[in-house]
Amino acid sequence: MILIGGFATRLRPLSCTRPKALFPILNKPLLQWTFERLAEDGIKEVILAVNHQAEVFIKEQKIPKNGLKITYSRDPLKKPLGTGGPIKKAEKLVGHDSPFLVLNGDIFADINYKEIFKTHEKENAMATIALHNVKDPSKYGVAELVKGNYIKKFVEKPPRKFAPSNLINAGVYVLSPEIFELIPKARKVSIEREVFPKLAEEGRLCGYILEGLWIDIGEPREFLEINKTLLNSLVPLEEHKARGRGKIKEPVAFDKNVSTGRQSVIGPYVVLGRNVTIGNSVCIKDSVVFPDAVISDFSIVNGSIIGEGAMIGKKVEINSGCIVGDHVKIRDNVTLSRGVSVCPAKEVSKSVLKPRYIV
Ligand code: GTP
């Protein structure tokens, strides 16, 4: 089961127009990466636990299913069920035959799903959580492991000095069907706050340490980070190769039908989506540009995310940490200082020199 029904407030304004699971990672929706990984490990069926809006967006994307059978389980209209409620709601679809996997839809992880199932079965746990070691665990659920892989204590978002370890909930779980008895029906439930701490106390919560690549794209910085990490590991494929004019500083990834103008400098760490048009003498680095955006002559984009179909005028300067929503129009000569976010379809005709949200 993949959970794709949160509000993704931290990724606004880009998440106003797509769920986190559809954010493009190297020009491929995150959900497509997840389907591919699940299919590789022999998973046959996926339940997408969605809200109405997410379902519409996912169906529009026509993501290749890789042989998986996909079923939708919908939260009630205007009544989000949190991270636990959607699991309870899908009880009949999941059935009571065997343990099942639950993934947060905003996780990019190189995880071996077979191994986490093995740990779950070996330890005979009610729930097994994939755990990842991070420097600052304070914005995650944190686990204290004891021998035999059991989690003694599970605390959601503790202040840094009270965190029992640096092992955090990686948003990947194996659950046994008995879990359904512990999740209240037809209401919003946080599995992290209402179910896991109790299971830890009762000695029925297990951990599986995830060593490989893991990132949750909850925040814009993390979204840029995963694109950068994958660019670094990219073997330049013909399809990623930059076409067009200007100077390309690797690593970059270009989707189909991208054009770049004379004397532009693109890279390093730039991802350009399908049909993106870059004018002459444009400089872009450390940024992701979603499909169909246009960046006109003499503009500079640094450390930012440019939404789908955005139109950036001439001599525009976009500084680090900016997020330009889908279909935004930025007029010629405008400067956006660091950390400016612009809501979808907004027109900006004056410079914005302090970090703020333009609605
Ligand atoms: P923020 O508002 O930025 O914290 O994001 P979020 O709402 O997505 O919350 P969070 O990152 O904690 O959610 C973890 C996972 O659970 C994500 O994949 C969400 O899409 C999913 N999720 C959160 N709330 C709901 C919900 O009410 N229903 C469903 N179906 N999924 C949810």
Side-chain angles (χ1 to χ4, degrees):
M1 184 183 317
I2 309 180
L3 300 173
I4 315 179
F7 288 119
T9 49
R10 292 165 297 154
L11 271 180
R12 285 179 188 158
L14 291 165
S15 56
C16 300
T17 39
R18 63 180 64 68
K20 279 190 276 193
L22 293 183
F23 272 60
I25 314 280
L26 282 199
N27 289 323
K28 186 156 84 178
L30 172 57
L31 189 60
Q32 186 171 343
W33 289 92
T34 310
F35 282 175
E36 288 171 3
R37 194 69 190 82
L38 289 169
E40 247 172 55
D41 275 359
I43 305 281
K44 299 271 185 291
E45 275 189 68
V46 173
I47 297 170
L48 299 178
V50 290
N51 58 26
H52 174 74
Q53 208 193 11
E55 182 178 356
V56 172
F57 284 125
I58 293 168
K59 286 184 171 160
E60 236 173 41
Q61 284 270 324
K62 301 197 168 42
I63 293 174
K65 296 191 177 89
N66 280 73
L68 298 164
K69 179 183 168 218
I70 311 288
T71 314
Y72 288 83
S73 172
R74 298 166 196 96
D75 285 10
L77 214 58
K78 296 185 186 159
K79 221 179 143 204
L81 295 176
T83 49
I87 301 175
K88 178 70 179 173
K89 176 138 199 306
E91 182 170 355
K92 281 206 184 109
L93 280 175
V94 175
H96 283 239
D97 298 342
S98 56
F100 58 101
L101 186 68
V102 176
L103 311 181
N104 284 352
D106 56 354
I107 300 298
F108 187 101
D110 186 17
I111 176 164
N112 184 329
Y113 296 112
K114 285 183 189 154
E115 289 299 318
I116 186 170
F117 269 107
K118 266 192 212 156
T119 304
H120 184 80
E121 269 155 27
K122 189 175 119 228
E123 302 290 353
N124 197 21
M126 172 85 90
T128 301
I129 307 182
L131 301 171
H132 188 65
N133 212 315
V134 295
K135 271 200 195 114
D136 176 10
S138 59
K139 60 178 186 152
Y140 304 98
V142 186
E144 185 179 344
L145 264 192
V146 286
K147 67 173 184 336
N149 296 331
Y150 272 80
I151 295 175
K152 189 170 135 199
K153 200 166 165 199
F154 185 85
V155 225
E156 188 61 17
K157 302 188 177 71
R160 199 166 177 171
K161 60 180 178 187
F162 295 121
S165 76
N166 283 41
L167 290 172
I168 57 118
N169 172 5
V172 174
Y173 326 119
V174 175
L175 306 177
S176 287
E178 298 82 56
I179 197 103
F180 290 122
E181 288 158 35
L182 305 180
I183 309 176
K185 203 172 163 180
R187 74 156 167 91
K188 191 170 184 173
V189 178
S190 161
I191 194 157
E192 301 90 339
R193 291 178 195 274
E194 295 180 53
V195 181
F196 291 156
K198 257 193 239 161
L199 287 181
E201 269 171 32
E202 292 167 11
R204 295 148 89 194
L205 189 64
C206 209
Y208 166 82
I209 297 183
L210 179 62
E211 306 278 2
L213 177 63
W214 177 91
I215 202 157
D216 93 285
I217 61 153
E219 293 176 18
R221 191 180 45 80
E222 294 160 334
F223 170 70
L224 287 174
E225 180 75 30
I226 184 65
N227 276 285
K228 193 169 180 173
T229 304
L230 293 183
L231 278 171
N232 271 333
S233 60
L234 200 69
V235 183
L237 294 173
E238 208 38 53
E239 64 203 75
H240 292 132
K241 277 255 173 74
R243 284 167 292 268
R245 292 169 294 178
K247 180 171 179 181
I248 307 299
K249 292 187 174 172
E250 299 285 349
V252 299
F254 288 10
D255 205 342
K256 294 200 179 82
N257 206 24
V258 162
S259 75
T260 56
R262 273 181 288 115
Q263 290 174 344
S264 286
V265 182
I266 316 290
Y269 301 111
V270 169
V271 181
L272 301 182
R274 190 176 282 224
N275 305 327
V276 163
T277 306
I278 307 292
N280 297 326
S281 304
V282 168
C283 285
I284 313 180
K285 64 173 184 175
D286 295 321
S287 297
V288 175
V289 182
F290 285 28
D292 300 311
V294 175
I295 301 177
S296 311
D297 301 351
F298 300 103
S299 287
I300 299 172
V301 177
N302 190 358
S304 293
I305 311 171
I306 308 295
E308 192 164 331
M311 304 284 290
I312 312 295
K314 293 183 183 165
K315 296 190 181 165
V316 168
E317 197 180 310
I318 299 181
N319 290 292
S320 101
C322 287
I323 308 178
V324 173
D326 292 353
H327 304 290
V328 161
K329 192 166 178 188
I330 301 197
R331 296 263 183 192
D332 295 352
N333 301 307
V334 162
T335 294
L336 301 184
S337 74
R338 285 166 168 264
V340 174
S341 296
V342 187
C343 275
K346 183 80 193 163
E347 195 166 321
V348 183
S349 49
K350 283 194 193 132
S351 292
V352 183
L353 301 176
K354 281 193 184 145
R356 57 180 268 237
Y357 230 94
I358 313 286
V359 289

